[in-house]
Amino acid sequence: MKKIGLLIIVLFSILVNTVNAQVNDSITANVNSQLRHMFGQLNPPYNSTHLFDMSARMTPDWRWDHYTDSTIHLNEWWGMYEELYYMAYDTTTHTETETLFEELNKVKYDTVPILAMNYNYHRFIDSTVFNSGTYFNFDIQNNVITDNPGRPSSPYTNHQLFKGVTFKNTSQFREVVFKIDPQFLLSDIPNSNEYTNGSFQIDFGDGNGFQTISGGSINYIPVTYPSKGTYEITYRIHNTEEQFTFKKNHSAFKVSSNSIPEEPSEIFDIGELEVGLYDGCEDVPEGNKRALIYLSGFDPFNSNSISSSYSYLKDSYLNKLQLTGYDIYVVNYNNSGRDIRANALDVVNLLEYLKCEKYPNSEEQFVVMGYSMGGLIGRYALTWMEQPGNINYEGCKPYKLHNTRLFVSLDAPQQGANVPLAFQHIYKGASDLYSVIPGFARGIMDEFATELRAEMIDMQSVKQMLIYHIDNKDVI
């Protein structure tokens, strides 16, 4: 009777256990758990703490290299890092994907973080896997594989993985600031020094060639692209003495316009708001100075900046109001997913600050404009300030209340947004769906599934804006 190959036993065992898994378990998580149980007692070879076969993989094998001329997309990089995480014998040495995503989302919207991973890993030699008993011992009852101490040679081949990518792949402006942060340059111990010894270089595709990156500290690198278009960014580990590149890959970065960002004259914070000031004409008497407060819309992925919001106002010619003496204040939220009322109360404090500190002698009243969710925030703030019990009598000029003569609600869901429940279920389940899509097909989703990891549908402000929410079928 022919021997049953070890690999066949492994696959059969996984299949049986997956079928028996609870319905609501993620298929990928279930397979990963079984693989880790099965292979977790194997001793790793020298200089490698990641077993390629210990993780369920959706990305194609040819992606798992350290030198390539092909381009990798953010969603592919993210999928590979998740798979690499479960390849590790000790996952505590890795930053969890959710934690990494949260830290990346804290980076200011006008800055583009660079991500890189640089690891060693090992793979089974096929012939050793099918030669049961010679290289490995298989405990069928406990579904565990262990090393055979008397095996004739190593059953593994050693490999390297190097991939760099930008966390955001599009910029509205030609001037872009890239952020190099050590916490986003991921590696195992054998490869960690390559980020700090002068070997790590990036060519941002702007025509200036490779720049040597100091990966030991936070750096901000300004890049000006010649025009709108798609540019190739190249990442490499390069031996400068021997002029030899031994690790390399590419990613694509799109510049969507020929515009240069117009920066505000002043930026300040009020609570969880970031406020940018664009000054009006200087020859307007102090008593006639006016202010337009623009409240931006829902921005769950921090993709908007003060300058991009001001660019929108310019496209609508609203910046012409500056010629008539209006100062324009553009308001962005540090967290647009939090309770709308909390952001609205910060707007209340902003209006008090402007009334008392910026325009104490002006006889003119404010204009407040709210776009999308900003319309809800503005309406709540102004209404709150009109309630007798909420008037700040200890502040300046309480009789002026919010000192606002006009409120403009622009495309705001004042009566609630109606997103079909079917679509909400798709949004909420997209991450699980994404995990079982083959790697070659993930490209059609691009960043969509990656961004959904922020669980947008569960944000408090989203629940407040929707008429119906999947967690509460009644009208909210």
Side-chain angles (χ1 to χ4, degrees), residues 49-342:
T49 55
H50 295 74
L51 175 58
F52 187 72
D53 305 87
M54 197 156 57
S55 170
R57 295 181 315 281
M58 299 299 171
T59 51
D61 284 5
W62 61 268
R63 277 291 190 197
W64 290 85
D65 56 11
H66 65 281
Y67 191 101
T68 180
D69 287 320
S70 63
T71 298
I72 190 170
H73 300 282
L74 174 62
N75 63 293
E76 293 174 306
W77 189 100
W78 204 264
M80 292 182 72
Y81 181 71
E82 282 189 308
E83 292 167 7
L84 183 74
Y85 178 88
Y86 288 104
M87 290 181 191
Y89 283 86
D90 181 7
T91 58
T92 62
T93 61
H94 280 257
T95 303
E96 292 188 1
T97 52
E98 293 81 3
T99 302
L100 182 61
F101 190 79
E102 289 173 1
E103 291 301 316
L104 286 161
N105 266 323
K106 293 178 182 178
V107 177
K108 291 294 185 180
Y109 24 73
D110 54 356
T111 304
V112 179
I114 296 290
L115 279 163
M117 54 180 163
N118 189 8
Y119 288 87
N120 295 338
Y121 68 94
H122 55 283
R123 305 174 65 162
F124 287 122
I125 298 174
D126 290 344
S127 60
T128 65
V129 175
F130 282 98
N131 198 344
S132 178
T134 302
Y135 291 88
F136 302 100
N137 299 315
F138 189 72
D139 183 347
I140 298 177
Q141 183 176 357
N142 296 309
N143 200 24
V144 172
I145 299 174
T146 57
D147 293 302
N148 183 347
R151 61 194 179 198
S153 60
S154 173
Y156 305 110
T157 55
N158 295 319
H159 303 266
Q160 291 182 315
L161 175 69
F162 176 74
K163 299 294 175 185
V165 74
T166 57
F167 182 60
K168 303 171 185 176
N169 63 7
T170 303
S171 172
Q172 182 178 346
F173 303 108
R174 290 193 296 114
E175 288 186 354
V176 184
V177 176
F178 292 94
K179 182 179 182 180
I180 310 296
D181 190 328
Q183 69 173 321
F184 304 140
L185 304 180
L186 310 169
S187 73
D188 53 15
I189 294 176
N191 294 289
S192 59
N193 67 320
E194 293 180 343
Y195 290 134
T196 58
N197 64 4
S199 301
F200 185 38
Q201 298 180 339
I202 300 177
D203 180 352
F204 292 95
D206 58 343
N208 292 320
F210 282 96
Q211 298 188 43
T212 298
I213 305 300
S214 176
S217 59
I218 296 177
N219 291 278
Y220 294 90
I221 302 177
V223 173
T224 301
Y225 290 98
S227 63
K228 68 177 182 179
T230 300
Y231 295 86
E232 184 178 76
I233 299 179
T234 303
Y235 315 81
R236 73 180 185 182
I237 304 297
H238 184 74
N239 187 318
T240 54
E241 292 182 0
E242 300 181 7
Q243 292 299 303
F244 176 71
T245 298
F246 51 97
K247 296 179 182 179
K248 184 180 76 169
N249 85 287
H250 309 274
S251 71
F253 189 78
K254 183 179 179 180
V255 177
S256 59
S257 78
N258 289 317
S259 302
I260 298 293
E262 190 168 340
E263 300 299 332
S265 59
E266 179 185 356
I267 295 179
F268 57 93
D269 295 327
I270 298 289
E272 291 296 311
L273 308 180
E274 185 181 43
V275 185
L277 167 60
Y278 292 86
D279 294 310
C281 292
E282 296 180 358
D283 57 354
V284 175
E286 185 175 350
N288 298 114
K289 292 286 286 185
R290 311 178 211 177
L292 167 68
I293 297 95
Y294 175 77
L295 307 175
S296 57
F298 181 58
D299 181 26
F301 311 119
N302 289 329
S303 57
N304 294 330
S305 64
I306 288 174
S307 54
S308 64
S309 293
Y310 181 73
S311 178
Y312 165 76
L313 295 176
K314 287 182 66 176
D315 291 342
S316 304
Y317 299 103
L318 287 172
N319 67 312
K320 300 297 184 184
L321 291 172
Q322 291 172 265
L323 299 176
T324 65
Y326 274 95
D327 294 332
I328 296 181
Y329 292 86
V330 176
V331 177
N332 269 357
Y333 320 103
N334 290 339
N335 180 7
S336 66
R338 72 172 182 154
D339 195 310
I340 287 175
R341 294 166 295 184

Side-chain angles (χ1 to χ4, degrees), residues 450-461:
T450 300
E451 291 178 339
L452 284 175
R453 297 175 195 278
E455 297 180 353
M456 180 183 70
I457 204 69
D458 287 330
M459 292 180 177
Q460 181 64 22
S461 61

Side-chain angles (χ1 to χ4, degrees), residues 294-298 312 333 340 368-380 407-418 461 464-467:
Y294 175 77
L295 307 175
S296 57
F298 181 58
Y312 165 76
Y333 320 103
I340 287 175
V368 176
M369 174 182 290
Y371 170 69
S372 184
M373 186 185 75
L376 301 181
I377 290 174
R379 178 185 172 193
Y380 186 93
F407 170 58
V408 180
S409 175
L410 180 61
D411 197 23
Q414 298 291 357
Q415 296 183 352
N418 190 0
S461 61
Q464 291 170 320
M465 286 188 285
L466 290 175
I467 298 175

Side-chain angles (χ1 to χ4, degrees), residues 421 467-476:
L421 292 174
I467 298 175
Y468 301 97
H469 189 273
I470 55 175
D471 291 340
N472 183 358
K473 305 302 187 297
D474 298 327
V475 177
I476 296 178

